[in-house]
Amino acid sequence: MNSVQQTQRPTSAELDAVDPLAEQREAFYTPDAGQLAAYLDGNSLGRPLKATSAKLASFVQDAWGSRLIRGWDEQWMDEPTRVGDRIGAVTLGAAAGQVTVGDSTSVMLYKLIRAAVDAQPGRDEIVVDRDNFPTDRFIIEGIAAEKGATIKWVASNPASGVRTTDLEGLLSERTAVVVLSHVAYRSGFLADAEAITTLVKDAGALMLWDLCHSVGSVPLELDAWGVDLAVGCTYKYLNGGPGSPAFAYVNAAQQDRLQQPIWGWMGADNPFGMTESYKPAEGIRRFITGTPPVLAMQPLKDMVELIASVGMDAVREKSIKLTEYAVALAEDMLVPLGAEIVSPRNTAERGSHITVDHPLFGEVTQKLWERGVIPDFRPPHGLRIGLSPLSTSYAEVELGMIAIRDALAELL
Ligand SMILES: Cc1ncc(COP(=O)(O)O)c(C=O)c1O
């Protein structure tokens, strides 16, 4: 980029000054100076809200400590679906009664994919892409082994992601379920969920989206798109904290015909009836297994309300501007040092992170972490720069990019 173009680009200070979401950054906890210079990994683990400490303390004292076992009757039995409904309304485009919170993403994936295969007799193929997140692929390998099903691998361009054309020739009357990530964990590619869902359903298969990298950063319209199933984590852009529980979305039209495979008492129709055998609950509750992780659900509730207060469209607008800025800086500072941007250039096809490849980025990441600049590294060479729309400033992106450039230059 020449100097004329460089002077035309606003500075990070100018961008921060006109950012309509700038004041939201105040809502997040900031560690003591020296510990953190730039956090570029909210796509792995979101930062806590300042409100979270007080929220947890109050839960311990007022709810757990004071109500004790009565809390289950008074509040907690419905917490998975109450929190699920709120996630659904604010971030998923889902009407009430279709989302529940609990388990890990991996376990939720197992429950829903296995239920989908079981519900499609005569269909013995599961479609998934080779570049999907390992846990999605591993869970599917396990289910295929258990059920004698065949995996049909989508071979898409790893620097982008799965498009409708990549599914040609893979969908047939044998396809039971298709499992894809809405935003690819490596490239950040944002799939056309509506078009792909339509294609998959036209083939008589069920569509499951992994929303880990899109929930809370990209607007979703699961009901309007006709999505059957979705799973997502809450520790990235929903800032639920390390290991906070996942959510599962099961379209109301599918709930009665799906039977999830881990039959526990909390998903039974009368948990405290101590009945002789399992009968699934009506509706979304049948996708619950054991005692819900109520304590671990508390922090994400404030983040969902923060998102509700600004709206998902504003979140997406900031996310696009942040990734555009990061791409421009990477072009100026990192590409001349031999790095390659391996994320889509088209903003309509990009989620809230970008990945830049260089053979030395493993070593660079170590140096950066020591300096309080925190992106993450995904083998073989990818430095992922995650931009959380509500907590990341443009100044942080610039500072981070300069630090990456300097650390790389030191090693060259
Ligand atoms: C796309 C995707 N799926 C699943 C997971 C993780 O699953 P779990 O929450 O079970 O660790 C991640 C974690 O980063 C992910 O990026």
Side-chain angles (χ1 to χ4, degrees), residues 101-136:
V101 179
D103 304 318
S104 64
T105 318
S106 304
V107 171
M108 282 296 198
L109 281 167
Y110 175 74
K111 285 164 49 163
L112 296 197
I113 299 169
R114 178 60 210 264
V117 173
D118 289 346
Q120 300 272 71
R123 291 176 174 259
D124 63 352
E125 291 179 355
I126 305 171
V127 175
V128 61
D129 60 309
R130 285 218 181 270
D131 294 312
N132 212 327
F133 191 78
T135 215
D136 301 59

PDB file of all heavy atoms in Angstrom, residues 101-136:
ATOM      1  N   VAL A 101     -29.611 -25.126  27.662  1.00  0.00           N
ATOM      2  CA  VAL A 101     -28.201 -24.900  27.987  1.00  0.00           C
ATOM      3  C   VAL A 101     -27.722 -25.998  28.923  1.00  0.00           C
ATOM      4  O   VAL A 101     -28.414 -26.353  29.887  1.00  0.00           O
ATOM      5  CB  VAL A 101     -28.020 -23.514  28.659  1.00  0.00           C
ATOM      6  CG1 VAL A 101     -26.565 -23.272  29.024  1.00  0.00           C
ATOM      7  CG2 VAL A 101     -28.516 -22.406  27.739  1.00  0.00           C
ATOM      8  N   GLY A 102     -26.537 -26.543  28.640  1.00  0.00           N
ATOM      9  CA  GLY A 102     -25.963 -27.562  29.525  1.00  0.00           C
ATOM     10  C   GLY A 102     -24.958 -28.410  28.759  1.00  0.00           C
ATOM     11  O   GLY A 102     -24.882 -28.319  27.531  1.00  0.00           O
ATOM     12  N   ASP A 103     -24.195 -29.216  29.443  1.00  0.00           N
ATOM     13  CA  ASP A 103     -23.185 -30.088  28.825  1.00  0.00           C
ATOM     14  C   ASP A 103     -22.109 -29.256  28.112  1.00  0.00           C
ATOM     15  O   ASP A 103     -22.177 -28.042  28.050  1.00  0.00           O
ATOM     16  CB  ASP A 103     -23.798 -31.064  27.807  1.00  0.00           C
ATOM     17  CG  ASP A 103     -24.908 -31.936  28.387  1.00  0.00           C
ATOM     18  OD1 ASP A 103     -24.743 -32.419  29.517  1.00  0.00           O
ATOM     19  OD2 ASP A 103     -25.942 -32.121  27.713  1.00  0.00           O
ATOM     20  N   SER A 104     -21.134 -29.949  27.539  1.00  0.00           N
ATOM     21  CA  SER A 104     -20.135 -29.269  26.700  1.00  0.00           C
ATOM     22  C   SER A 104     -20.641 -29.280  25.259  1.00  0.00           C
ATOM     23  O   SER A 104     -21.568 -30.029  24.916  1.00  0.00           O
ATOM     24  CB  SER A 104     -18.795 -29.993  26.779  1.00  0.00           C
ATOM     25  OG  SER A 104     -18.942 -31.293  26.239  1.00  0.00           O
ATOM     26  N   THR A 105     -20.013 -28.479  24.424  1.00  0.00           N
ATOM     27  CA  THR A 105     -20.396 -28.477  23.002  1.00  0.00           C
ATOM     28  C   THR A 105     -20.258 -29.880  22.430  1.00  0.00           C
ATOM     29  O   THR A 105     -21.118 -30.345  21.676  1.00  0.00           O
ATOM     30  CB  THR A 105     -19.476 -27.516  22.216  1.00  0.00           C
ATOM     31  OG1 THR A 105     -19.269 -26.329  22.976  1.00  0.00           O
ATOM     32  CG2 THR A 105     -20.048 -27.171  20.865  1.00  0.00           C
ATOM     33  N   SER A 106     -19.170 -30.555  22.789  1.00  0.00           N
ATOM     34  CA  SER A 106     -18.912 -31.891  22.241  1.00  0.00           C
ATOM     35  C   SER A 106     -20.047 -32.856  22.598  1.00  0.00           C
ATOM     36  O   SER A 106     -20.523 -33.614  21.749  1.00  0.00           O
ATOM     37  CB  SER A 106     -17.588 -32.440  22.789  1.00  0.00           C
ATOM     38  OG  SER A 106     -16.542 -31.553  22.512  1.00  0.00           O
ATOM     39  N   VAL A 107     -20.473 -32.821  23.854  1.00  0.00           N
ATOM     40  CA  VAL A 107     -21.545 -33.736  24.283  1.00  0.00           C
ATOM     41  C   VAL A 107     -22.866 -33.363  23.595  1.00  0.00           C
ATOM     42  O   VAL A 107     -23.619 -34.236  23.155  1.00  0.00           O
ATOM     43  CB  VAL A 107     -21.674 -33.740  25.826  1.00  0.00           C
ATOM     44  CG1 VAL A 107     -22.915 -34.496  26.277  1.00  0.00           C
ATOM     45  CG2 VAL A 107     -20.430 -34.357  26.455  1.00  0.00           C
ATOM     46  N   MET A 108     -23.115 -32.066  23.478  1.00  0.00           N
ATOM     47  CA  MET A 108     -24.334 -31.633  22.770  1.00  0.00           C
ATOM     48  C   MET A 108     -24.292 -32.086  21.313  1.00  0.00           C
ATOM     49  O   MET A 108     -25.311 -32.505  20.755  1.00  0.00           O
ATOM     50  CB  MET A 108     -24.475 -30.106  22.812  1.00  0.00           C
ATOM     51  CG  MET A 108     -24.988 -29.579  24.122  1.00  0.00           C
ATOM     52  SD  MET A 108     -26.670 -30.135  24.473  1.00  0.00           S
ATOM     53  CE  MET A 108     -27.148 -28.946  25.728  1.00  0.00           C
ATOM     54  N   LEU A 109     -23.104 -31.980  20.697  1.00  0.00           N
ATOM     55  CA  LEU A 109     -22.977 -32.444  19.303  1.00  0.00           C
ATOM     56  C   LEU A 109     -23.308 -33.929  19.225  1.00  0.00           C
ATOM     57  O   LEU A 109     -24.046 -34.370  18.345  1.00  0.00           O
ATOM     58  CB  LEU A 109     -21.541 -32.213  18.790  1.00  0.00           C
ATOM     59  CG  LEU A 109     -21.187 -30.788  18.357  1.00  0.00           C
ATOM     60  CD1 LEU A 109     -19.677 -30.643  18.188  1.00  0.00           C
ATOM     61  CD2 LEU A 109     -21.894 -30.409  17.056  1.00  0.00           C
ATOM     62  N   TYR A 110     -22.755 -34.687  20.162  1.00  0.00           N
ATOM     63  CA  TYR A 110     -23.021 -36.134  20.158  1.00  0.00           C
ATOM     64  C   TYR A 110     -24.523 -36.396  20.270  1.00  0.00           C
ATOM     65  O   TYR A 110     -25.090 -37.178  19.497  1.00  0.00           O
ATOM     66  CB  TYR A 110     -22.268 -36.829  21.304  1.00  0.00           C
ATOM     67  CG  TYR A 110     -22.634 -38.291  21.385  1.00  0.00           C
ATOM     68  CD1 TYR A 110     -22.142 -39.181  20.439  1.00  0.00           C
ATOM     69  CD2 TYR A 110     -23.506 -38.765  22.361  1.00  0.00           C
ATOM     70  CE1 TYR A 110     -22.507 -40.525  20.464  1.00  0.00           C
ATOM     71  CE2 TYR A 110     -23.880 -40.100  22.400  1.00  0.00           C
ATOM     72  CZ  TYR A 110     -23.371 -40.980  21.458  1.00  0.00           C
ATOM     73  OH  TYR A 110     -23.743 -42.294  21.477  1.00  0.00           O
ATOM     74  N   LYS A 111     -25.150 -35.740  21.225  1.00  0.00           N
ATOM     75  CA  LYS A 111     -26.573 -36.011  21.461  1.00  0.00           C
ATOM     76  C   LYS A 111     -27.414 -35.689  20.225  1.00  0.00           C
ATOM     77  O   LYS A 111     -28.286 -36.468  19.827  1.00  0.00           O
ATOM     78  CB  LYS A 111     -27.062 -35.220  22.684  1.00  0.00           C
ATOM     79  CG  LYS A 111     -26.561 -35.866  23.979  1.00  0.00           C
ATOM     80  CD  LYS A 111     -26.617 -35.047  25.257  1.00  0.00           C
ATOM     81  CE  LYS A 111     -27.783 -34.339  25.680  1.00  0.00           C
ATOM     82  NZ  LYS A 111     -27.745 -33.938  27.118  1.00  0.00           N
ATOM     83  N   LEU A 112     -27.148 -34.553  19.615  1.00  0.00           N
ATOM     84  CA  LEU A 112     -28.004 -34.147  18.490  1.00  0.00           C
ATOM     85  C   LEU A 112     -27.680 -34.895  17.201  1.00  0.00           C
ATOM     86  O   LEU A 112     -28.592 -35.262  16.442  1.00  0.00           O
ATOM     87  CB  LEU A 112     -27.908 -32.634  18.261  1.00  0.00           C
ATOM     88  CG  LEU A 112     -28.405 -31.732  19.388  1.00  0.00           C
ATOM     89  CD1 LEU A 112     -28.647 -30.314  18.873  1.00  0.00           C
ATOM     90  CD2 LEU A 112     -29.694 -32.241  20.031  1.00  0.00           C
ATOM     91  N   ILE A 113     -26.399 -35.140  16.946  1.00  0.00           N
ATOM     92  CA  ILE A 113     -26.065 -35.851  15.689  1.00  0.00           C
ATOM     93  C   ILE A 113     -26.553 -37.291  15.770  1.00  0.00           C
ATOM     94  O   ILE A 113     -27.134 -37.827  14.830  1.00  0.00           O
ATOM     95  CB  ILE A 113     -24.541 -35.794  15.398  1.00  0.00           C
ATOM     96  CG1 ILE A 113     -24.075 -34.344  15.241  1.00  0.00           C
ATOM     97  CG2 ILE A 113     -24.207 -36.588  14.133  1.00  0.00           C
ATOM     98  CD1 ILE A 113     -22.565 -34.161  15.213  1.00  0.00           C
ATOM     99  N   ARG A 114     -26.342 -37.885  16.926  1.00  0.00           N
ATOM    100  CA  ARG A 114     -26.795 -39.271  17.104  1.00  0.00           C
ATOM    101  C   ARG A 114     -28.323 -39.348  17.000  1.00  0.00           C
ATOM    102  O   ARG A 114     -28.873 -40.240  16.340  1.00  0.00           O
ATOM    103  CB  ARG A 114     -26.282 -39.744  18.455  1.00  0.00           C
ATOM    104  CG  ARG A 114     -26.614 -41.116  18.945  1.00  0.00           C
ATOM    105  CD  ARG A 114     -26.139 -42.258  18.091  1.00  0.00           C
ATOM    106  NE  ARG A 114     -27.102 -43.311  18.305  1.00  0.00           N
ATOM    107  CZ  ARG A 114     -26.964 -44.304  19.170  1.00  0.00           C
ATOM    108  NH1 ARG A 114     -25.830 -44.458  19.818  1.00  0.00           N
ATOM    109  NH2 ARG A 114     -27.923 -45.175  19.352  1.00  0.00           N
ATOM    110  N   ALA A 115     -29.017 -38.387  17.602  1.00  0.00           N
ATOM    111  CA  ALA A 115     -30.485 -38.358  17.506  1.00  0.00           C
ATOM    112  C   ALA A 115     -30.913 -38.182  16.051  1.00  0.00           C
ATOM    113  O   ALA A 115     -31.881 -38.803  15.592  1.00  0.00           O
ATOM    114  CB  ALA A 115     -31.043 -37.216  18.359  1.00  0.00           C
ATOM    115  N   ALA A 116     -30.178 -37.334  15.306  1.00  0.00           N
ATOM    116  CA  ALA A 116     -30.537 -37.086  13.904  1.00  0.00           C
ATOM    117  C   ALA A 116     -30.377 -38.356  13.070  1.00  0.00           C
ATOM    118  O   ALA A 116     -31.241 -38.694  12.254  1.00  0.00           O
ATOM    119  CB  ALA A 116     -29.656 -35.969  13.341  1.00  0.00           C
ATOM    120  N   VAL A 117     -29.281 -39.077  13.286  1.00  0.00           N
ATOM    121  CA  VAL A 117     -29.050 -40.317  12.519  1.00  0.00           C
ATOM    122  C   VAL A 117     -30.137 -41.341  12.859  1.00  0.00           C
ATOM    123  O   VAL A 117     -30.715 -41.977  11.972  1.00  0.00           O
ATOM    124  CB  VAL A 117     -27.634 -40.873  12.797  1.00  0.00           C
ATOM    125  CG1 VAL A 117     -27.432 -42.235  12.144  1.00  0.00           C
ATOM    126  CG2 VAL A 117     -26.574 -39.893  12.312  1.00  0.00           C
ATOM    127  N   ASP A 118     -30.440 -41.457  14.148  1.00  0.00           N
ATOM    128  CA  ASP A 118     -31.454 -42.430  14.579  1.00  0.00           C
ATOM    129  C   ASP A 118     -32.836 -42.109  13.983  1.00  0.00           C
ATOM    130  O   ASP A 118     -33.644 -43.009  13.763  1.00  0.00           O
ATOM    131  CB  ASP A 118     -31.578 -42.446  16.110  1.00  0.00           C
ATOM    132  CG  ASP A 118     -30.366 -43.083  16.776  1.00  0.00           C
ATOM    133  OD1 ASP A 118     -29.572 -43.742  16.069  1.00  0.00           O
ATOM    134  OD2 ASP A 118     -30.204 -42.895  17.996  1.00  0.00           O
ATOM    135  N   ALA A 119     -33.078 -40.820  13.746  1.00  0.00           N
ATOM    136  CA  ALA A 119     -34.417 -40.415  13.284  1.00  0.00           C
ATOM    137  C   ALA A 119     -34.578 -40.533  11.767  1.00  0.00           C
ATOM    138  O   ALA A 119     -35.637 -40.202  11.237  1.00  0.00           O
ATOM    139  CB  ALA A 119     -34.678 -38.966  13.706  1.00  0.00           C
ATOM    140  N   GLN A 120     -33.530 -40.958  11.071  1.00  0.00           N
ATOM    141  CA  GLN A 120     -33.575 -40.998   9.608  1.00  0.00           C
ATOM    142  C   GLN A 120     -33.344 -42.426   9.112  1.00  0.00           C
ATOM    143  O   GLN A 120     -32.315 -42.703   8.486  1.00  0.00           O
ATOM    144  CB  GLN A 120     -32.488 -40.068   9.039  1.00  0.00           C
ATOM    145  CG  GLN A 120     -32.601 -38.611   9.442  1.00  0.00           C
ATOM    146  CD  GLN A 120     -33.488 -37.831   8.492  1.00  0.00           C
ATOM    147  OE1 GLN A 120     -34.705 -38.025   8.482  1.00  0.00           O
ATOM    148  NE2 GLN A 120     -32.895 -36.996   7.681  1.00  0.00           N
ATOM    149  N   PRO A 121     -34.267 -43.342   9.378  1.00  0.00           N
ATOM    150  CA  PRO A 121     -34.036 -44.724   8.971  1.00  0.00           C
ATOM    151  C   PRO A 121     -33.824 -44.840   7.457  1.00  0.00           C
ATOM    152  O   PRO A 121     -34.464 -44.131   6.694  1.00  0.00           O
ATOM    153  CB  PRO A 121     -35.320 -45.452   9.413  1.00  0.00           C
ATOM    154  CG  PRO A 121     -36.302 -44.399   9.776  1.00  0.00           C
ATOM    155  CD  PRO A 121     -35.568 -43.135  10.011  1.00  0.00           C
ATOM    156  N   GLY A 122     -32.889 -45.708   7.079  1.00  0.00           N
ATOM    157  CA  GLY A 122     -32.594 -45.878   5.653  1.00  0.00           C
ATOM    158  C   GLY A 122     -31.560 -44.881   5.154  1.00  0.00           C
ATOM    159  O   GLY A 122     -31.054 -44.996   4.045  1.00  0.00           O
ATOM    160  N   ARG A 123     -31.239 -43.909   5.987  1.00  0.00           N
ATOM    161  CA  ARG A 123     -30.207 -42.917   5.605  1.00  0.00           C
ATOM    162  C   ARG A 123     -28.995 -43.177   6.487  1.00  0.00           C
ATOM    163  O   ARG A 123     -29.075 -43.036   7.702  1.00  0.00           O
ATOM    164  CB  ARG A 123     -30.740 -41.497   5.797  1.00  0.00           C
ATOM    165  CG  ARG A 123     -31.841 -41.136   4.792  1.00  0.00           C
ATOM    166  CD  ARG A 123     -32.412 -39.764   5.058  1.00  0.00           C
ATOM    167  NE  ARG A 123     -33.360 -39.392   4.016  1.00  0.00           N
ATOM    168  CZ  ARG A 123     -33.090 -38.570   2.995  1.00  0.00           C
ATOM    169  NH1 ARG A 123     -31.891 -38.000   2.913  1.00  0.00           N
ATOM    170  NH2 ARG A 123     -33.990 -38.306   2.079  1.00  0.00           N
ATOM    171  N   ASP A 124     -27.896 -43.543   5.890  1.00  0.00           N
ATOM    172  CA  ASP A 124     -26.740 -43.993   6.682  1.00  0.00           C
ATOM    173  C   ASP A 124     -25.469 -43.191   6.395  1.00  0.00           C
ATOM    174  O   ASP A 124     -24.366 -43.677   6.589  1.00  0.00           O
ATOM    175  CB  ASP A 124     -26.499 -45.494   6.444  1.00  0.00           C
ATOM    176  CG  ASP A 124     -26.145 -45.784   4.988  1.00  0.00           C
ATOM    177  OD1 ASP A 124     -26.247 -44.850   4.147  1.00  0.00           O
ATOM    178  OD2 ASP A 124     -25.750 -46.918   4.693  1.00  0.00           O
ATOM    179  N   GLU A 125     -25.650 -41.958   5.912  1.00  0.00           N
ATOM    180  CA  GLU A 125     -24.461 -41.137   5.647  1.00  0.00           C
ATOM    181  C   GLU A 125     -24.514 -39.822   6.431  1.00  0.00           C
ATOM    182  O   GLU A 125     -25.571 -39.208   6.553  1.00  0.00           O
ATOM    183  CB  GLU A 125     -24.362 -40.826   4.144  1.00  0.00           C
ATOM    184  CG  GLU A 125     -24.036 -42.081   3.337  1.00  0.00           C
ATOM    185  CD  GLU A 125     -23.956 -41.813   1.832  1.00  0.00           C
ATOM    186  OE1 GLU A 125     -24.236 -40.684   1.371  1.00  0.00           O
ATOM    187  OE2 GLU A 125     -23.614 -42.777   1.115  1.00  0.00           O
ATOM    188  N   ILE A 126     -23.343 -39.448   6.951  1.00  0.00           N
ATOM    189  CA  ILE A 126     -23.208 -38.162   7.654  1.00  0.00           C
ATOM    190  C   ILE A 126     -22.234 -37.315   6.844  1.00  0.00           C
ATOM    191  O   ILE A 126     -21.133 -37.780   6.513  1.00  0.00           O
ATOM    192  CB  ILE A 126     -22.639 -38.364   9.083  1.00  0.00           C
ATOM    193  CG1 ILE A 126     -23.493 -39.370   9.869  1.00  0.00           C
ATOM    194  CG2 ILE A 126     -22.553 -37.035   9.821  1.00  0.00           C
ATOM    195  CD1 ILE A 126     -22.886 -39.786  11.204  1.00  0.00           C
ATOM    196  N   VAL A 127     -22.633 -36.101   6.527  1.00  0.00           N
ATOM    197  CA  VAL A 127     -21.776 -35.214   5.731  1.00  0.00           C
ATOM    198  C   VAL A 127     -21.139 -34.181   6.657  1.00  0.00           C
ATOM    199  O   VAL A 127     -21.833 -33.541   7.456  1.00  0.00           O
ATOM    200  CB  VAL A 127     -22.602 -34.514   4.629  1.00  0.00           C
ATOM    201  CG1 VAL A 127     -21.744 -33.499   3.873  1.00  0.00           C
ATOM    202  CG2 VAL A 127     -23.188 -35.537   3.660  1.00  0.00           C
ATOM    203  N   VAL A 128     -19.825 -34.031   6.543  1.00  0.00           N
ATOM    204  CA  VAL A 128     -19.094 -33.038   7.359  1.00  0.00           C
ATOM    205  C   VAL A 128     -17.860 -32.623   6.558  1.00  0.00           C
ATOM    206  O   VAL A 128     -17.372 -33.398   5.727  1.00  0.00           O
ATOM    207  CB  VAL A 128     -18.698 -33.632   8.742  1.00  0.00           C
ATOM    208  CG1 VAL A 128     -17.782 -34.845   8.623  1.00  0.00           C
ATOM    209  CG2 VAL A 128     -18.065 -32.576   9.649  1.00  0.00           C
ATOM    210  N   ASP A 129     -17.367 -31.420   6.829  1.00  0.00           N
ATOM    211  CA  ASP A 129     -16.185 -30.991   6.053  1.00  0.00           C
ATOM    212  C   ASP A 129     -14.891 -31.365   6.760  1.00  0.00           C
ATOM    213  O   ASP A 129     -14.814 -31.416   7.987  1.00  0.00           O
ATOM    214  CB  ASP A 129     -16.236 -29.483   5.765  1.00  0.00           C
ATOM    215  CG  ASP A 129     -16.255 -28.645   7.024  1.00  0.00           C
ATOM    216  OD1 ASP A 129     -17.103 -28.925   7.891  1.00  0.00           O
ATOM    217  OD2 ASP A 129     -15.437 -27.729   7.150  1.00  0.00           O
ATOM    218  N   ARG A 130     -13.868 -31.602   5.944  1.00  0.00           N
ATOM    219  CA  ARG A 130     -12.556 -32.013   6.462  1.00  0.00           C
ATOM    220  C   ARG A 130     -11.919 -30.958   7.337  1.00  0.00           C
ATOM    221  O   ARG A 130     -11.084 -31.257   8.179  1.00  0.00           O
ATOM    222  CB  ARG A 130     -11.590 -32.302   5.303  1.00  0.00           C
ATOM    223  CG  ARG A 130     -11.881 -33.595   4.617  1.00  0.00           C
ATOM    224  CD  ARG A 130     -10.587 -34.313   4.212  1.00  0.00           C
ATOM    225  NE  ARG A 130     -10.953 -35.547   3.529  1.00  0.00           N
ATOM    226  CZ  ARG A 130     -11.125 -36.703   4.145  1.00  0.00           C
ATOM    227  NH1 ARG A 130     -10.940 -36.794   5.447  1.00  0.00           N
ATOM    228  NH2 ARG A 130     -11.470 -37.776   3.466  1.00  0.00           N
ATOM    229  N   ASP A 131     -12.289 -29.698   7.131  1.00  0.00           N
ATOM    230  CA  ASP A 131     -11.678 -28.616   7.911  1.00  0.00           C
ATOM    231  C   ASP A 131     -12.517 -28.207   9.107  1.00  0.00           C
ATOM    232  O   ASP A 131     -12.226 -27.197   9.744  1.00  0.00           O
ATOM    233  CB  ASP A 131     -11.438 -27.394   7.007  1.00  0.00           C
ATOM    234  CG  ASP A 131     -10.413 -27.712   5.946  1.00  0.00           C
ATOM    235  OD1 ASP A 131      -9.362 -28.260   6.302  1.00  0.00           O
ATOM    236  OD2 ASP A 131     -10.683 -27.438   4.768  1.00  0.00           O
ATOM    237  N   ASN A 132     -13.553 -28.972   9.407  1.00  0.00           N
ATOM    238  CA  ASN A 132     -14.343 -28.632  10.584  1.00  0.00           C
ATOM    239  C   ASN A 132     -13.495 -28.815  11.840  1.00  0.00           C
ATOM    240  O   ASN A 132     -12.464 -29.502  11.830  1.00  0.00           O
ATOM    241  CB  ASN A 132     -15.614 -29.491  10.646  1.00  0.00           C
ATOM    242  CG  ASN A 132     -16.784 -28.744  11.298  1.00  0.00           C
ATOM    243  OD1 ASN A 132     -16.575 -27.925  12.200  1.00  0.00           O
ATOM    244  ND2 ASN A 132     -17.983 -29.011  10.852  1.00  0.00           N
ATOM    245  N   PHE A 133     -13.936 -28.218  12.929  1.00  0.00           N
ATOM    246  CA  PHE A 133     -13.206 -28.298  14.192  1.00  0.00           C
ATOM    247  C   PHE A 133     -13.043 -29.770  14.600  1.00  0.00           C
ATOM    248  O   PHE A 133     -13.955 -30.574  14.405  1.00  0.00           O
ATOM    249  CB  PHE A 133     -13.987 -27.523  15.261  1.00  0.00           C
ATOM    250  CG  PHE A 133     -13.229 -27.317  16.530  1.00  0.00           C
ATOM    251  CD1 PHE A 133     -12.251 -26.342  16.626  1.00  0.00           C
ATOM    252  CD2 PHE A 133     -13.488 -28.108  17.637  1.00  0.00           C
ATOM    253  CE1 PHE A 133     -11.546 -26.157  17.803  1.00  0.00           C
ATOM    254  CE2 PHE A 133     -12.783 -27.931  18.817  1.00  0.00           C
ATOM    255  CZ  PHE A 133     -11.811 -26.950  18.900  1.00  0.00           C
ATOM    256  N   PRO A 134     -11.887 -30.137  15.165  1.00  0.00           N
ATOM    257  CA  PRO A 134     -11.643 -31.556  15.473  1.00  0.00           C
ATOM    258  C   PRO A 134     -12.767 -32.238  16.239  1.00  0.00           C
ATOM    259  O   PRO A 134     -13.141 -33.369  15.914  1.00  0.00           O
ATOM    260  CB  PRO A 134     -10.351 -31.518  16.291  1.00  0.00           C
ATOM    261  CG  PRO A 134      -9.650 -30.287  15.805  1.00  0.00           C
ATOM    262  CD  PRO A 134     -10.719 -29.299  15.444  1.00  0.00           C
ATOM    263  N   THR A 135     -13.321 -31.562  17.254  1.00  0.00           N
ATOM    264  CA  THR A 135     -14.322 -32.278  18.059  1.00  0.00           C
ATOM    265  C   THR A 135     -15.538 -32.671  17.221  1.00  0.00           C
ATOM    266  O   THR A 135     -16.085 -33.765  17.362  1.00  0.00           O
ATOM    267  CB  THR A 135     -14.715 -31.462  19.316  1.00  0.00           C
ATOM    268  OG1 THR A 135     -14.965 -32.364  20.390  1.00  0.00           O
ATOM    269  CG2 THR A 135     -15.933 -30.584  19.144  1.00  0.00           C
ATOM    270  N   ASP A 136     -15.929 -31.834  16.281  1.00  0.00           N
ATOM    271  CA  ASP A 136     -17.068 -32.162  15.411  1.00  0.00           C
ATOM    272  C   ASP A 136     -16.756 -33.419  14.593  1.00  0.00           C
ATOM    273  O   ASP A 136     -17.576 -34.338  14.479  1.00  0.00           O
ATOM    274  CB  ASP A 136     -17.377 -30.998  14.451  1.00  0.00           C
ATOM    275  CG  ASP A 136     -17.703 -29.701  15.190  1.00  0.00           C
ATOM    276  OD1 ASP A 136     -16.852 -29.236  15.957  1.00  0.00           O
ATOM    277  OD2 ASP A 136     -18.811 -29.171  15.005  1.00  0.00           O
TER     278      ASP A 136
END
